[in-house]
Amino acid sequence: MDIAVSDKIWLSSPHMGGTELNYVNDAFKSNWIAPLGPNVNHFETAIEEFVGEDIHVACLSSGTAAIHLALELLDVKRNDEVLCQSFTFSASANPITYLGANPIFIDSEADTWNLSPELLEEAILDRMRLGKKPKAIIAVHLYGMPYKVNEVSAISKKYGIPIVEDSAEALGSSYKGIQCGSFGDIGILSFNGNKIITTSGGGALLSKNQNIKEKAIFKATQARDCAPHYEHSQIGYNYRMSNVLAGIGRGQMEVLNDRINARRENFLYYNHHLSDFHELSFLNELDESHSNRWLTCILTQSFETREEIRLALQNHNIESRPLWKPMHSQPIFENCSAYKNGVSEELFEKGLCLPSGSNLDRNDLDRICEIIKNVLR
């Protein structure tokens, strides 16, 4: 086929369903523009019903804010240590530092690209030998692929260390038929513009404990005590989601299953059309896992091949992106302790995220695949 430079294909662009504007207009008509309001309540309820498992949801300004509040609610303080998956976006790790605590990075395993249970337990035992029992574990369902929930949860229970379940990329993914976001002591979601559904900017904190939700909302609304005036006995934050953005979220929840199906179809299309090339491999689901396939990622045989593909796509106005650079390799975290096996560094060197938006059409996918095939030929 002719590969002419044409309209931009984005990695993961927003995809509106059509009803979002109705809820936003309702917010304007009723003058519920400020934080709180009926859209926030309805959006939280929609998420609770989708995730199930008696989950309680607090909608916030971002997934990062949700992680920050989760750590604070788990009593993480200055000089504490928090175990964090290294192969992830920096927003998983940054909130640890907001509290003056120290991230301890854990490398990945090859079959899920997520937190290695073996290295996790090794790190816990080592930190305890040093007299510093970690206060929390941040485990990430990367690119929508569930981590090994049973193994990580068993380690958490064995050593009495709570889990913050970073499901920012995994709304709609499940493990053994149970929705991600419901496994940790506290779960978090993100509704950033590139996520499977979006509120432009936004996130959520999830817990089976209603009291945790209430504490999160209290902290997220400047920790205002119950009084006719503004009384504050704790430090709070301006982290609540606005009623306007929650209106977008309500409309997005109505098409969430369609968005999941579309992204899974993207993965199947890429897999079918590119799997004959021995230079490429894909991350496959384990038997107990069901991924929303937020992003379809390929693993090449070398850095040079990855870059050839990335630059070829870029030259044809197509956005792709290397896999996450591990946190233990980032300049800002270079002095932090890390338990490594080399997996995440190799994934970063050889891996590439392909365009995965639910609004891609067959022509887009054909165009992308043909460019990749031409590179590999």
Side-chain angles (χ1 to χ4, degrees), residues 29-328:
K29 289 174 183 176
S30 61
N31 206 32
W32 278 105
I33 303 301
L36 305 182
N39 280 337
V40 177
N41 297 332
H42 285 297
F43 187 29
E44 289 175 343
T45 299
I47 299 167
E48 289 169 351
E49 291 175 350
F50 181 86
V51 175
E53 304 301 313
D54 296 321
I55 280 290
H56 304 281
V57 173
C59 283
L60 303 171
S61 57
S62 68
T64 310
I67 295 176
H68 182 197
L69 287 183
L71 293 172
E72 188 163 297
L73 292 170
L74 293 174
D75 200 34
V76 173
K77 292 185 170 62
R78 182 170 297 280
N79 296 322
D80 284 339
E81 292 186 348
V82 175
L83 302 164
C84 182
Q85 185 164 316
S86 184
F87 193 46
T88 185
F89 180 50
S90 63
S92 301
N94 285 340
I96 300 169
T97 69
Y98 300 168
L99 297 167
N102 301 310
I104 307 295
F105 293 113
I106 313 296
D107 216 326
S108 292
E109 54 181 4
D111 54 353
T112 68
W113 298 1
N114 288 316
L115 190 75
S116 163
E118 291 77 15
L119 284 179
L120 175 63
E121 187 161 27
E122 177 186 322
I124 292 171
L125 291 171
D126 192 44
R127 305 321 292 181
M128 290 172 67
R129 277 193 294 269
L130 295 171
K132 201 79 174 176
K133 181 180 176 181
K135 291 292 289 288
I137 299 164
I138 298 178
V140 186
H141 302 296
L142 202 70
Y143 300 120
M145 186 62 69
Y147 63 77
K148 289 181 179 172
V149 173
N150 282 1
E151 289 88 335
V152 174
S153 296
I155 293 168
S156 162
K157 185 176 181 180
K158 180 178 179 179
Y159 296 100
I161 304 174
I163 295 173
V164 176
E165 181 192 356
D166 185 343
S167 300
E169 303 169 4
L171 179 60
S173 298
S174 60
Y175 181 85
K176 294 190 173 181
I178 298 173
Q179 290 292 322
C180 291
S182 64
F183 297 110
D185 294 83
I186 300 177
I188 76 101
L189 297 172
S190 171
F191 308 116
N192 188 32
N194 64 3
K195 295 302 188 292
I196 196 158
I197 63 168
T198 184
T199 57
S200 174
L205 183 147
L206 292 71
S207 177
K208 294 179 182 177
N209 187 330
Q210 173 71 21
N211 191 42
I212 287 179
K213 171 183 175 174
E214 291 172 358
K215 286 181 177 179
I217 292 173
F218 173 73
K219 286 278 189 179
T221 50
Q222 301 289 17
R224 181 186 176 186
D225 295 333
C226 184
H229 57 279
Y230 283 90
E231 181 84 8
H232 303 276
S233 55
Q234 299 180 43
I235 295 295
Y237 310 96
N238 185 17
Y239 278 173
R240 202 71 161 109
M241 180 180 285
S242 84
N243 194 53
V244 175
L245 297 190
I248 301 173
R250 288 183 70 184
Q252 288 275 277
M253 286 300 295
E254 294 174 1
V255 294
L256 174 56
N257 284 318
D258 293 337
R259 302 298 181 253
I260 296 166
N261 291 336
R263 293 198 184 233
R264 286 182 60 83
E265 286 296 320
N266 289 341
F267 170 82
L268 292 174
Y269 192 91
Y270 283 128
N271 192 285
H272 175 74
H273 288 271
L274 298 174
S275 59
D276 287 343
F277 291 89
H278 71 276
E279 300 96 330
L280 299 183
S281 61
F282 293 85
L283 178 61
N284 293 314
E285 294 166 320
L286 302 181
D287 288 342
E288 62 267 30
S289 295
H290 180 88
S291 173
N292 65 7
R293 296 293 184 184
W294 171 58
L295 294 183
T296 292
C297 305
I298 54 172
L299 201 59
T300 66
Q301 289 190 323
S302 68
F303 170 81
E304 290 75 18
T305 303
R306 186 202 82 182
E307 282 299 278
E308 276 192 79
I309 294 172
R310 185 183 68 81
L311 292 172
L313 293 170
Q314 180 178 289
N315 289 338
H316 287 83
N317 211 22
I318 298 170
E319 183 184 22
S320 65
R321 187 173 298 161
L323 302 187
W324 300 123
K325 183 177 182 180
M327 290 300 102
H328 69 257

Side-chain angles (χ1 to χ4, degrees), residues 12 69 162 349 355 368:
S12 180
L69 287 183
E349 181 179 332
I368 295 162

